[in-house]
Amino acid sequence: MTKKIKPTLVLVLFVLLSRTVVSVEFVYNGFNEVEPNNLSVNGVAQISKNGVLQLTDETSRVVGHVFYKNPIRFKNDQFGNNVSSFSTAFAFGIVPEYAKLGGHGFAFTISTSNEMKGARPSQYLGLLNNSDVGNFSNHLFAVEFDTVQDFELGDISDNHVGIDINNLESNASVNASYFSEGSSTKQNLFLQCGKTIQAWIDYDSSRNLLNVTLSMSSRKPSYSILSYHVDLSPILEEFMYVGFSASTGLLASSHYIFGWSFKMNGMAQSLDLDSLPSLPKPKKDQTTLIVATSLSAVMFLAFGLILALYVIWKFKNIDVIEPWELEIGPHRFSYKELKKATRGFRDEELLGFGGFGRVYKGLLPKTNNVVAVKRINHEAKQGLQEFVSEIATIGRLRHRNLVQLIGWCRRSGDLLLVYDFMPNGSLDKYIYDEPRVVLTWEQRFKIIKGVASGLLYLHEEWEQTVIHRDIKAGNVLLDSEMNGRLGDFGLAKLYERGANPSTTRVVGTLGYLAPELTKTGKPTTSSDVFAFGALLLEVACGRRPIEAKALPEELIIVDWVWDKWSEGAILEVVDPRLNGEYDEMEALMVLKLGLMCSNNTSSKRPSMRLVVRYLEGEVVLPETLSAPDEYDGKKSGASDMELEDFVPSYPSSSYLEKVSTWSSAYDGEGDIDIEANSARPTDSGREDNR
């Protein structure tokens, strides 16, 4: 008689069998013989002919992804709650575009997706973007090998290994290093050395311990360089994809994977580096190419003047790159590339113009990225190498509220800067005169806080103090989401180079210049705060700091707002185009803060850190305010220069007379160049994308 099996027993057996621990394992010694269906490759990643997996090339701002095609089961316990142990080993190499100047890095990644849609390059390593970074719903685990120090993300150096969980701000990180075989002495390791490096990543689920190990050989060292206690059970889901992600930024590096092994519930097989594909041969050094070209030209000269002239004519449009230019940080574009991007710098692509030159809209042919190309009016008296060195500094600044410098180009005396394109143009066209679109109070307050955050980064959060020098509505650009971003930082300093040191020269915009600038000529973080105060008032009031066509008592915005504050009618100055639809507490805070920042005594102005805390509601503004015009230049040892002729918040008769004289030439948008005892508006028009 056949014995029947109860259905409940069958169900239990099925569940138990389905939860049986399965040890997934694969080993790739090169990728030539990999079945196409076994790997998912996207972005710029590709498998080269010699079997090397190339994640990125020398193209700026691109991403590359490679994942094991099928999802791997990471939770095999009875209830599917606990992550199993796993181990991986891989051999990689990073070759920067220029020696010691590369970016960004790559990461071993465990993700819910093998496509990473919406991921951004640069500091996001092709893993996340600025809107989802840090979200717990990401369910993302990564070990990054980063070659750029991003201060916004708290990177410890430009050569580090970090453990990232749902974020690009590492939970734990260490400078890249390794232990030699049989040694307990740690040695420094330069990730961009262009040599093959082997990495091991091991997770022990029983101890919730993650270890990262590096070596320059085939054998795994006894010591790890980074150990981190973490329970990955809440992070990893039951089925996940494993692979690699890389990106480039302003500068580019080629990221290579030569071999890869992976194993669940066991130790991954170490790779024999000698049996793996070799690193691709580097391209010829551009400096060598230039030297060779020059020698060829000399040889041609020996054959006769006519042949030499022909060679000069033939190659007159080739970009000549001097050796020092190879050390500059941001990506160097060719003139031909930018000329093509802007369709020959046609007037149809012109976005605006100003004291520093014209700005064109461009479409980069390689990446199809829309950019803004600023063509600088370069004066011979300015040191070219110093100018470009300053560009290198600007190119390293990274903040969500700064307009990002993508790259640059030099052709003879012509200098071009390439920026992120800001589709909504500059802030001034939304608050002055009769704008096509009236910004809501919510949008204005968001822009104000964004600009304050960017300015705080320049003043205190970067490795050096950067003074903007020309904060105004025309230099605040709006991205596709109407976020405020500061542009043109640092350029005023460049423009000032070459000035006669015996004269006092101040380059800025009338209405934003701090009074002490006309005495010392030296900009400070406090003079930036003064200009930011003017910006606060003009955004709240919807008018320029100096309105030449206004009534005498309303001519200068600081004095007008202060008068209304003294009368207890401060909210009467709020932009009437808002039709009363605004948050009164926020508007009051912005106006009071604008008056505090506009104080003529620099020591009475708050720092940008305090400004940000006020705007975020962390600190309450004082109930009483000091009058902004308490500054007395004569008592402070001012020079013979009449400060009241230049101080925007001092409505003297001489000042009113000058404004009247300039009213036909100055509409509040131009720059003021103050030299010796004269002041005149410079030829600077509006730029919709700086």
Side-chain angles (χ1 to χ4, degrees):
M1 184 176 179
T2 305
K3 192 172 184 180
K4 293 183 179 181
I5 301 176
K6 293 182 179 180
T8 53
L9 181 58
V10 173
L11 179 60
V12 170
L13 289 172
F14 175 77
V15 170
L16 290 175
L17 288 172
S18 67
R19 295 296 181 183
T20 302
V21 174
V22 178
S23 181
V24 177
E25 183 177 12
F26 56 82
V27 180
Y28 296 131
N29 289 299
F31 299 89
N32 252 343
E33 300 179 359
V34 176
E35 292 292 332
N37 293 332
N38 284 350
L39 291 179
S40 171
V41 181
N42 63 65
V44 297
Q46 60 178 341
I47 298 176
S48 61
K49 293 181 180 179
N50 67 339
V52 174
L53 185 61
Q54 184 173 5
L55 294 171
T56 64
D57 52 24
E58 293 182 353
T59 305
S60 61
R61 295 197 169 223
V62 294
V63 300
H65 301 131
V66 175
F67 284 90
Y68 188 66
K69 186 75 174 182
N70 300 316
I72 294 175
R73 193 172 198 168
F74 277 82
K75 292 182 177 180
N76 290 292
D77 65 297
Q78 183 175 352
F79 301 102
N81 292 327
N82 299 318
V83 169
S84 300
S85 298
F86 62 86
S87 174
T88 188
F90 50 90
F92 69 90
I94 303 176
V95 181
E97 183 178 6
Y98 302 117
K100 298 183 180 180
L101 290 173
H104 277 249
F106 82 100
F108 168 76
T109 308
I110 302 178
S111 169
T112 56
S113 168
N114 61 354
E115 296 181 349
M116 313 296 284
K117 291 182 178 179
R120 297 290 302 278
S122 299
Q123 66 262 48
Y124 298 107
L125 301 182
L127 294 171
L128 299 168
N129 58 52
N130 56 351
S131 62
D132 62 10
V133 65
N135 293 344
F136 184 79
S137 59
N138 292 331
H139 293 285
L140 177 75
F141 167 80
V143 176
E144 66 175 39
F145 301 82
D146 201 350
T147 55
V148 170
Q149 184 175 16
D150 193 304
F151 291 92
E152 188 177 355
L153 296 175
D155 289 344
I156 60 173
S157 70
D158 59 357
N159 185 57
H160 65 273
V161 178
I163 296 170
D164 302 337
I165 297 177
N166 295 327
N167 205 336
L168 271 304
E169 188 172 340
S170 298
N171 297 71
S173 60
V174 66
N175 288 319
S177 58
Y178 71 102
F179 291 93
S180 299
E181 185 178 348
S183 172
S184 60
T185 303
K186 185 184 292 187
Q187 300 186 45
N188 294 329
L189 175 60
F190 185 51
L191 293 174
Q192 298 183 90
C193 63
K195 298 179 181 179
T196 302
I197 302 169
Q198 186 163 192
W200 293 262
I201 301 171
D202 306 304
Y203 179 67
D204 185 342
S205 61
S206 64
R207 296 190 295 163
N208 291 334
L209 181 63
L210 182 73
N211 285 320
V212 181
T213 309
L214 292 179
S215 176
M216 299 290 289
S217 68
S218 302
R219 291 199 173 187
K220 185 177 182 180
S222 303
Y223 301 96
S224 302
I225 63 164
L226 180 58
S227 294
Y228 182 59
H229 286 275
V230 58
D231 182 6
L232 293 180
S233 299
I235 310 303
L236 304 185
E237 296 185 338
E238 183 174 3
F239 287 94
M240 303 286 286
Y241 291 92
V242 297
F244 302 93
S245 176
S247 72
T248 60
L250 298 176
L251 295 175
S253 293
S254 296
H255 299 91
Y256 301 99
I257 304 295
F258 307 109
W260 180 24
S261 69
F262 181 88
K263 187 173 184 179
M264 292 293 302
N265 297 296
M267 298 304 294
Q269 177 181 314
S270 296
L271 302 170
D272 180 5
L273 302 188
D274 294 332
S275 65
L276 300 179
S278 58
L279 193 71
K281 292 182 179 180
K283 297 178 181 179
K284 290 184 178 180
D285 186 86
Q286 296 186 46
T287 307
T288 305
L289 180 62
I290 296 164
V291 173
T293 304
S294 301
L295 290 175
S296 298
V298 173
M299 293 176 64
F300 276 116
L301 284 171
F303 288 99
L305 182 60
I306 297 176
L307 187 58
L309 291 174
Y310 171 78
V311 171
I312 294 172
W313 172 81
K314 186 74 175 176
F315 295 99
K316 66 180 180 179
N317 288 322
I318 291 180
D319 291 342
V320 178
I321 304 175
E322 298 180 32
W324 58 265
E325 294 184 62
L326 299 178
E327 301 298 321
I328 299 302
H331 178 73
R332 191 189 197 281
F333 290 93
S334 68
Y335 182 81
K336 181 179 179 182
E337 191 175 4
L338 296 184
K339 186 177 180 180
K340 182 178 180 181
T342 58
R343 299 196 300 164
F345 300 100
R346 289 187 181 180
D347 288 342
E348 291 83 355
E349 303 300 325
L350 186 64
L351 294 171
F353 60 92
F356 294 116
R358 297 187 168 217
V359 183
Y360 297 86
K361 183 179 180 180
L363 182 67
L364 296 179
K366 289 184 179 180
T367 60
N368 287 328
N369 287 337
V370 182
V371 295
V373 181
K374 181 187 289 287
R375 199 166 186 173
I376 302 293
N377 293 332
H378 179 65
E379 299 178 12
K381 65 182 179 180
Q382 295 170 292
L384 176 62
Q385 187 165 346
E386 290 183 352
F387 197 112
V388 180
S389 296
E390 191 72 24
I391 292 172
T393 300
I394 297 171
R396 293 168 57 202
L397 296 167
R398 293 179 182 85
H399 192 276
R400 59 185 173 275
N401 295 111
L402 299 180
V403 179
Q404 185 68 59
L405 177 67
I406 298 174
W408 67 290
C409 170
R410 178 181 76 88
R411 183 173 181 263
S412 299
D414 213 359
L415 289 165
L416 300 100
L417 302 181
V418 184
Y419 292 96
D420 273 340
F421 176 69
M422 297 289 107
N424 284 312
S426 56
L427 174 61
D428 56 353
K429 70 179 183 180
Y430 291 92
I431 57 176
Y432 297 150
D433 304 323
E434 297 180 4
R436 288 179 297 175
V437 178
V438 176
L439 296 177
T440 66
W441 177 257
E442 290 76 13
Q443 289 173 319
R444 298 182 195 213
F445 195 59
K446 176 183 177 183
I447 291 167
I448 285 171
K449 292 201 295 184
V451 173
S453 178
L455 195 52
L456 172 61
Y457 172 79
L458 292 178
H459 285 185
E460 299 184 27
E461 295 181 346
W462 198 54
E463 59 188 56
Q464 302 173 15
T465 298
V466 178
I467 302 171
H468 189 285
R469 298 182 174 218
D470 198 16
I471 299 163
K472 59 182 178 181
N475 280 340
V476 175
L477 285 301
L478 305 178
D479 61 20
S480 58
E481 298 176 353
M482 298 299 285
N483 295 303
R485 299 195 189 190
L486 265 175
D488 264 4
F489 42 86
L491 287 186
K493 181 180 179 182
L494 300 178
Y495 185 82
E496 189 183 3
R497 281 212 177 96
N500 187 341
S502 64
T503 64
T504 300
R505 181 171 184 173
V506 181
V507 178
T509 303
L510 191 65
Y512 301 86
L513 291 173
E516 67 270 13
L517 280 175
T518 56
K519 185 183 80 168
T520 66
K522 296 179 180 179
T524 63
T525 55
S526 184
S527 60
D528 267 0
V529 172
F530 184 93
F532 181 73
L535 178 70
L536 287 172
L537 296 180
E538 64 180 326
V539 171
C541 301
R543 50 153 288 180
R544 296 181 178 88
I546 297 176
E547 199 67 76
K549 299 178 182 179
L551 297 173
E553 63 270 17
E554 298 179 4
L555 176 66
I556 301 166
I557 194 171
V558 176
D559 300 314
W560 177 48
V561 174
W562 173 253
D563 289 343
K564 291 296 183 181
W565 166 263
S566 302
E567 297 169 7
I570 184 68
L571 293 180
E572 289 183 9
V573 304
V574 176
D575 192 346
R577 286 168 294 195
L578 290 171
N579 295 320
E581 297 180 0
Y582 59 89
D583 186 308
E584 291 189 2
M585 295 301 295
E586 289 180 352
L588 182 61
M589 174 174 62
V590 169
L591 291 168
K592 289 176 66 176
L593 191 54
L595 290 173
M596 291 172 62
C597 293
S598 299
N599 198 293
N600 289 343
T601 304
S602 60
S603 61
K604 291 186 178 181
R605 300 171 203 150
S607 67
M608 282 312 302
R609 182 167 298 281
L610 186 55
V611 168
V612 170
R613 295 189 69 191
Y614 282 137
L615 291 171
E616 294 294 341
E618 298 176 4
V619 179
V620 179
L621 283 165
E623 289 293 329
T624 59
L625 299 177
S626 300
D629 59 354
E630 291 180 351
Y631 181 83
D632 188 343
K634 302 298 181 181
K635 293 179 181 178
S636 302
S639 66
D640 293 335
M641 188 185 301
E642 295 183 27
L643 291 176
E644 57 266 35
D645 286 353
F646 309 113
V647 177
S649 60
Y650 225 94
S652 67
S653 58
S654 62
Y655 176 74
L656 295 177
E657 183 180 349
K658 281 183 170 56
V659 170
S660 177
T661 303
W662 294 338
S663 60
S664 59
Y666 176 70
D667 61 359
E669 297 173 2
D671 291 342
I672 288 296
D673 185 346
I674 300 173
E675 189 166 349
N677 290 328
S678 64
R680 57 190 179 276
T682 61
D683 180 17
S684 176
R686 178 182 302 174
E687 293 186 18
D688 286 344
N689 197 306
R690 303 240 167 184

